[in-house]
Amino acid sequence: MSKGLLISIEGPDGAGKTSVLEALLPRLKEVYPGQVITTREPGGVAISEQIREVILDVDNTAMDAKTELLLYIAARRQHLVEKVLPELEKGNMVIMDRFIDSSVAYQGAGRGLEQTEIAWLNAYATDGHKPDVTLLFDVDSETGLKRIAANGEREVNRLDLEKLDMHQRVRKGYLDLAMVESERIKLIDASQPFDKVIEDAWQIIKSYL
Ligand code: TYD
């Protein structure tokens, strides 16, 4: 078992998880005895960032759903072994912006790929490592999509271009998963005012410190 703390943050597009993380970072650094590392999927290390380019390229409209899944899984494996596990080994806190649950929600519930196969691939890529805690930022799909559209700075990627019903399936996929893994996955209502969302996230993380 690793010595550090592994936290993942998850949620449908437009839930605001990345902004919440940025807001919480100074507080976390203040209280955590080791270093606090933030990283993201797909990406986080050079090889996985290259895979990310391929996955999210808006011109790759021909990409098959299983190809998409396998690319996310490959990016996950490299990022985990090259960066995440070594940091945990040093006793650091690693906060991952997306991890295993994104495959379940997006490629499973969203694209309709077989969940047992996704679970197997996730376990294969991670050697069974799971986060100590996962914060799931939940927001209804209409609000999420409106937030993305309103955020002019954010680059639109291939998955953002999916229709409303795909986003709705992704959200439901997350909520179903949170019921099954309620010990690990903590649900946060991300439609609340930003300060309240930050406070809810802080209270949960605090209990793991
Ligand atoms: P990103 O720009 O990082 O979006 P966000 O800020 O919402 O995290 O793009 C990542 C996209 O990839 C996002 O739409 C979710 C999707 N994704 C999957 O479909 N499966 C996965 O396993 C992962 C990690 C991400």
Side-chain angles (χ1 to χ4, degrees):
M1 260 321 266
S2 50
K3 294 173 272 182
L5 187 68
L6 179 58
I7 299 176
S8 66
I9 59 172
E10 296 276 359
D13 296 87
K17 60 187 168 46
T18 312
S19 315
V20 174
L21 174 59
E22 273 170 29
L24 275 181
L25 208 53
R27 280 202 224 180
L28 290 170
K29 287 185 170 164
E30 214 172 291
V31 296
Y32 192 71
Q35 275 183 281
V36 181
I37 314 289
T38 59
T39 188
R40 69 163 178 188
E41 271 201 11
V45 291
I47 293 172
S48 304
E49 289 289 340
Q50 288 170 42
I51 299 173
R52 177 188 175 93
E53 299 271 304
V54 177
I55 303 176
L56 297 180
D57 188 337
V58 286
D59 292 330
N60 283 341
T61 48
M63 193 181 293
D64 171 77
K66 286 188 181 177
T67 307
E68 180 182 282
L69 170 64
L70 292 168
L71 288 172
Y72 278 116
I73 295 287
R76 175 161 306 140
R77 171 72 186 171
Q78 187 63 31
H79 178 226
L80 188 83
V81 295
E82 193 182 331
K83 182 169 178 182
V84 178
L85 293 180
E87 292 296 345
L88 290 172
E89 206 43 52
K90 287 184 239 165
N92 292 331
M93 181 194 294
V94 181
I95 308 179
M96 297 180 70
D97 195 339
R98 298 197 179 282
F99 189 36
I100 45 175
D101 305 322
S102 283
S103 296
V104 175
Y106 282 81
Q107 282 66 53
R111 300 271 191 230
L113 296 181
E114 183 52 55
Q115 291 289 11
T116 50
E117 290 169 356
I118 293 176
W120 187 87
L121 285 167
N122 264 335
Y124 181 70
T126 60
D127 300 319
H129 285 280
K130 284 192 173 189
D132 295 296
V133 61
T134 296
L135 307 187
L136 171 54
F137 293 91
D138 177 53
V139 72
D140 67 84
S141 307
E142 288 83 356
T143 307
L145 288 174
K146 266 190 221 142
R147 284 185 185 168
I148 295 174
N151 183 353
E153 282 172 29
R154 187 179 182 284
E155 206 180 315
V156 172
N157 68 47
R158 197 170 54 85
L159 275 90
D160 293 334
L161 301 177
E162 291 293 339
K163 303 266 178 317
L164 179 65
D165 63 322
M166 161 88 178
H167 290 273
Q168 284 166 335
R169 288 196 301 277
V170 168
R171 182 193 184 203
K172 184 167 184 306
Y174 271 126
L175 292 175
D176 290 346
L177 187 61
M179 298 241 280
V180 178
E181 291 203 52
S182 58
E183 271 294 298
R184 171 175 67 88
I185 303 176
K186 310 294 177 194
L187 195 63
I188 294 175
D189 175 3
S191 68
Q192 303 176 101
F194 192 53
D195 286 350
K196 179 73 171 68
V197 179
I198 293 172
E199 201 45 44
D200 284 1
W202 172 242
Q203 290 305 327
I204 294 166
I205 295 178
K206 223 171 66 174
S207 66
Y208 286 82
L209 297 176

